[in-house]
Amino acid sequence: MRCFILIGCAWILPGPVPADLFVGLEGSAPATRSSDLSGFPNVIWSKHFAFDVSGAAARPDGTLFLCNGAFTTRLYTATPTRRPQLIATISVDIHALAFGRDTLWGFSNFAPTKGIYEINPATGQATLVLDVHTGTSFRFFALDYNPVDDLLYGYTEFGDSGLYSINIDTGEMLKIVNTIPAANGQGRGMAVGNNTVYLTATRGDDSIPCFAYDLSQGANGVWVPFTQPYPQFHSTGGAAWIPDPVSPGDMNCDGVFNGGDIDPFFLALGDPAAYTAAFPGCNILNGDMNSDGRLDGGDIDPFFECLGGGACP
Ligand SMILES: [Ca+2]
Ligand SMILES: [Ca+2]
Ligand SMILES: [Ca+2]
């Protein structure tokens, strides 16, 4: 039983469906895989459809975006159990995908400006948001978005190589940690979940595992190795974090939205890393009450309106 200041106590019901880390490789098109990471770092991978995956990202509702092709301009939607459907041709090449703030982003390596582009999934039109290469030589072949701190994360083997946080509003790119501790520092797929960066498409054929970096440890921390799903392969690829289904307002993940969610809601607003530590597995976007894909002060009024019996998302 957990207790909170404002409402007394509530019994905790069984937790939500676990989130999944989804991975795939480019070119040779082996089966895509996913894992709920139980037993980490010794995790079990489930096989799904075989597909050529250059980049991957997931919407909060669990829909996957995948890209691939000779010029990596084909954009698909899928789920682990529904084969990819082509939805658009992207106007530039895209080698990594990220989804956040209700926006699909990708890194382009061959456009006139190497950078992060915003992609319209309906039309494929890509618009440059941030030049990441001029003056730095960065190439973020691994990219994802972290709803806990509202930052993008990128991994580059070029320039001052390593893991970076990327503030898409200010353009600030901060180095978090050096490349993975492996003979080959390649990491070409990234997913961020539970405030942790998961780096995939490492060199399985060189016996290199995947690596996780818990962002709550701050900069210059430790990469933790975990089970490589493709021990025979040397390839680039993509990864996505398929979150728990969003349950608006249910900040303590007990299956209901009531007064017991007020304290955790304000904890998530004020100290999202502490919230993630206190409620592991809870989707912080349960607090996105105005449905703009992020949790901030704009969600306070809609939170209380819904709680009071008014309009809900
Ligand atoms: Ca990704
Ligand atoms: Ca609740
Ligand atoms: Ca919001």
Side-chain angles (χ1 to χ4, degrees):
M1 198 159 60
R2 284 192 175 126
C3 302
F4 299 101
I5 296 164
L6 293 176
I7 50 87
C9 305
W11 290 103
I12 300 299
L13 302 172
V17 177
D20 272 321
L21 175 60
F22 175 90
V23 299
L25 293 184
E26 183 178 296
S28 46
T32 54
R33 287 162 169 75
S34 71
S35 173
D36 66 7
L37 302 181
S38 56
F40 183 90
N42 301 307
V43 308
I44 295 169
W45 294 95
S46 302
K47 288 187 181 180
H48 304 294
F49 53 83
F51 201 66
D52 171 0
V53 177
S54 299
R59 282 198 317 227
D61 70 359
T63 301
L64 289 162
F65 288 103
L66 306 175
C67 67
N68 70 13
F71 299 97
T72 55
T73 55
R74 293 198 293 257
L75 182 65
Y76 305 79
T77 55
T79 71
T81 56
R82 181 173 60 78
R83 284 196 56 82
Q85 310 284 319
L86 183 67
I87 58 166
T89 299
I90 312 173
S91 59
V92 299
D93 67 294
I94 291 291
H95 291 259
L97 290 172
F99 192 94
R101 297 185 181 181
D102 208 19
T103 300
L104 181 64
W105 289 291
F107 169 71
S108 176
N109 191 52
F110 296 118
T113 302
K114 294 183 197 329
I116 295 171
Y117 287 70
E118 181 175 332
I119 302 160
N120 182 333
T123 64
Q125 183 61 42
T127 306
L128 181 66
V129 178
L130 182 64
D131 174 354
V132 301
H133 187 261
T134 303
T136 65
S137 302
F138 295 160
R139 299 176 193 219
F140 292 123
F141 289 118
L143 191 72
D144 212 32
Y145 170 81
N146 184 10
V148 173
D149 55 19
D150 193 29
L151 295 171
L152 286 159
Y153 283 82
Y155 185 85
T156 177
E157 301 149 37
F158 302 87
D160 183 6
S161 55
L163 174 68
Y164 287 77
S165 66
I166 304 160
N167 185 320
I168 203 70
D169 300 318
T170 65
E172 183 180 43
M173 295 183 280
L174 282 180
K175 188 171 185 181
I176 304 297
V177 66
N178 285 326
T179 49
I180 54 175
N184 184 310
Q186 174 179 311
R188 300 287 179 86
M190 181 190 291
V192 183
N194 290 331
N195 208 29
T196 299
V197 172
Y198 297 95
L199 194 70
T200 67
T202 55
R203 288 282 300 268
D205 63 333
D206 285 344
S207 302
I208 296 174
C210 296
F211 282 89
Y213 189 90
D214 181 348
L215 293 167
S216 68
Q217 65 186 317
N220 302 312
V222 178
W223 285 106
V224 176
F226 67 103
T227 310
Q228 166 67 260
Y230 299 110
Q232 314 299 332
F233 286 85
H234 165 203
S235 178
T236 186
W241 183 260
I242 301 175
D244 299 321
V246 173
S247 177
D250 184 15
M251 299 306 291
N252 60 3
C253 292
D254 65 352
V256 293
F257 179 30
N258 60 23
D261 297 302
I262 295 173
D263 281 1
F265 175 71
F266 281 105
L267 178 62
L269 271 176
D271 190 345
Y275 169 81
T276 303
F279 297 94
C282 272
N283 190 337
I284 198 167
L285 292 180
N286 286 353
D288 176 24
M289 301 301 283
N290 62 359
S291 304
D292 66 353
R294 50 202 293 210
L295 175 64
D296 60 21
D299 296 304
I300 296 175
D301 285 350
F303 178 91
F304 283 103
E305 183 177 352
C306 178
L307 185 62
C312 292

